[in-house]
């Protein structure tokens, strides 16, 4: 039996050696040079080429190399009986909390204005937002969203949160799926940490932006396909959104010619909000590999129907 890694734009050798360090007896194969495709029972995938799994007829479980599983759910060529799992680790959530906290602190302190002023050699003071002046609304209160909400509250911010099923988080005002309007009407800084599913694709559109409290800001750290790009440009141009911080894009790397690059009111980071740590992930991958072989319940199995 073997464990296969199929990951483009990732240092696969690092993952292979991390897995072998946890259990040297595991036979780790790296796509595309697979010695015996029929021996592959467990695969780890990130940005895999479509239809690639048809070469591995005995795959039982595929783990995403990250927290998101949209790339696997969207691949209709993966047979229905194949189970899907994902990476959930303390470091992944800690990094996301740091990203959200840093981003919100920068927005409250108007750092983006000072960066522009520096380019122009301009000295002008702007009043920072007070922490009780704006509410930060977190879309998605899962593994990452809940921790991010708590980290923000620990740092004195007012926080609201929205999820499919209502969550109870001490100190935060929470809303269920059918309470989106109430959530948006309370929110100034919208932080997106939703999974990408049929229901959430394109959710960040003009209709949603119009319901935010003014001044409004957008932080998208989930998936590019959540955002209707032309609606964001319109919202920024008309002042509906004051500034957007985008870590994820429909096309990655963001093409050089993309209009987002040249915009003062958009801050771009290259999908670095939270990056899977090979050593931490290896422990979880080995555990799920062993569970696959022994037929035990998997850790962090995804509901393929719900899409997350
Ligand atoms: P989870 O699956 O743990 O949580 C998802 C949350 O979204 C849950 O609270 C869920 O509600 C809610 N949700 C799902 N569908 C809906 C809906 N239709 N309406 C309302 N709420 C909904 O995901 P994670 O927190 O682990 O990760 C979130 C996403 O972050 C990932 O899918 C990935 O795309 C992105 N990500 C980005 C990274 C980056 O570097 N930029 C790094 C890692 C992840 P309920 O609780 O009721 O089920
Ligand atoms: C993830 C990601 O899903 O990096 O982990 O986006």
């Amino acid at each position: 039996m073997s464990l296969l890694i199929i990951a483009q734009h990732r240092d696969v050798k690092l993952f292979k050696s991390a897995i072998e360090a946890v259990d040297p007896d595991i036979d780790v194969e790296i796509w595309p040079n697979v010695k015996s495709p029929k021996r592959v029972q467990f695969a780890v995938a990130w940005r895999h080429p479509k239809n690639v799994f048809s070469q591995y007829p005995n795959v039982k479980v595929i783990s995403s190399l990250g927290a998101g599983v949209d790339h696997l759910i969207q691949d209709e060529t993966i047979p229905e009986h194949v189970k899907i799992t994902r990476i959930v680790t303390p470091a992944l959530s800690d990094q996301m909390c740091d990203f959200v906290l840093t981003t919100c602190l920068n927005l409250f302190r108007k750092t983006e204005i000072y960066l522009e002023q520096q380019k122009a050699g301009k000295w002008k003071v702007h009043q920072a937002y007070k922490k009780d002046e704006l509410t930060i609304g977190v879309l998605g209160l899962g593994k990452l969203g809940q921790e991010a909400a708590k980290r923000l509250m620990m740092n004195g911010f007012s926080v609201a949160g929205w999820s499919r099923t209502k969550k109870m988080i001490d100190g935060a005002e929470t809303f269920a799926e059918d309470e989106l309007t109430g959530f948006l009407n309370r929110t100034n800084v919208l932080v997106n940490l939703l999974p990408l599913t049929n229901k959430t694709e394109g959710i960040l559109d003009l209709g949603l932006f119009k319901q935010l409290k003014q001044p409004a800001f957008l932080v998208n750290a989930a998936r590019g396909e959540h955002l209707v790009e032309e609606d964001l440009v319109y919202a920024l141009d008309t002042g509906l959104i004051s500034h957007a911080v985008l870590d994820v894009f429909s096309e990655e790397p963001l093409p050089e010619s993309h209009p987002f690059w040249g915009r003062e009111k958009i801050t771009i980071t290259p999908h670095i909000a939270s990056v899977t740590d090979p050593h931490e992930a290896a422990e979880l991958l080995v555990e799920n590999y062993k569970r696959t072989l022994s037929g035990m319940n998997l850790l962090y199995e995804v509901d393929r129907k719900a899409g997350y």
Side-chain angles (χ1 to χ4, degrees), residues 76-256:
E76 293 134 11
T77 69
I78 297 176
E80 262 176 47
H81 68 267
V82 173
K83 294 180 175 168
I84 292 178
T85 64
R86 67 195 191 103
I87 300 294
V88 176
T89 62
L92 203 66
S93 141
D94 190 49
Q95 286 180 66
M96 185 56 85
C97 289
D98 283 349
F99 179 85
V100 171
L101 177 62
T102 314
T103 301
C104 290
L105 283 167
N106 279 328
L107 290 172
F108 275 62
R109 299 302 301 257
K110 305 188 176 171
T111 306
E112 73 285 353
I113 299 179
Y114 294 120
L115 291 174
E116 281 308 314
Q117 284 189 186
Q118 182 177 346
K119 284 186 206 157
K122 187 171 162 187
W123 181 283
K124 186 174 175 205
V125 174
H126 302 269
Q127 182 144 27
Y129 294 110
K130 297 191 186 71
K131 285 192 178 160
D132 60 2
E133 204 177 340
L134 307 181
T135 298
I136 302 172
V138 181
L139 277 174
L141 294 174
K143 296 285 178 205
L144 301 179
Q146 285 203 33
E147 291 307 312
K150 287 179 196 161
R151 180 74 62 88
L152 289 167
M153 285 189 294
M154 270 163 51
N155 285 275
F157 291 100
S158 303
V159 176
W162 182 70
S163 50
R164 202 173 48 77
T165 52
K166 195 175 169 80
K167 299 284 177 294
M168 304 306 279
I169 304 174
D170 262 358
E173 201 178 349
T174 53
F175 298 80
E177 190 173 11
D178 59 355
E179 299 172 323
L180 181 59
T181 300
F183 164 80
L184 295 171
N185 291 170
R186 295 275 297 108
T187 296
N188 299 94
V189 182
L190 185 68
V191 176
N192 179 32
L193 284 175
L194 284 168
L196 180 67
T197 66
N198 291 341
K199 283 193 171 178
T200 63
E201 183 170 359
I203 189 170
L204 303 175
D205 67 0
L206 193 57
L208 177 143
F209 298 147
K210 282 183 177 163
Q211 297 176 66
L212 291 171
K213 213 167 151 191
Q214 288 298 319
F217 302 86
L218 173 69
V219 180
N220 188 14
R223 285 294 179 263
E225 294 87 341
H226 285 129
L227 176 67
V228 180
E229 294 188 347
E230 60 276 23
D231 284 8
L232 175 63
V233 170
Y234 180 84
L236 290 168
D237 286 349
T238 54
L240 257 180
I241 302 270
S242 300
H243 195 86
V245 178
L246 307 177
D247 183 57
V248 286
F249 304 88
S250 308
E251 190 180 347
E252 294 181 3
L254 187 65
E256 269 176 42

Side-chain angles (χ1 to χ4, degrees), residues 10 46 64-70 92 221-223 248 271 274-276:
R10 286 287 167 105
W46 191 252
S64 169
L65 198 64
V69 290
D70 41 288
L92 203 66
R223 285 294 179 263
V248 286
H271 200 143
S274 184
V275 180
T276 303

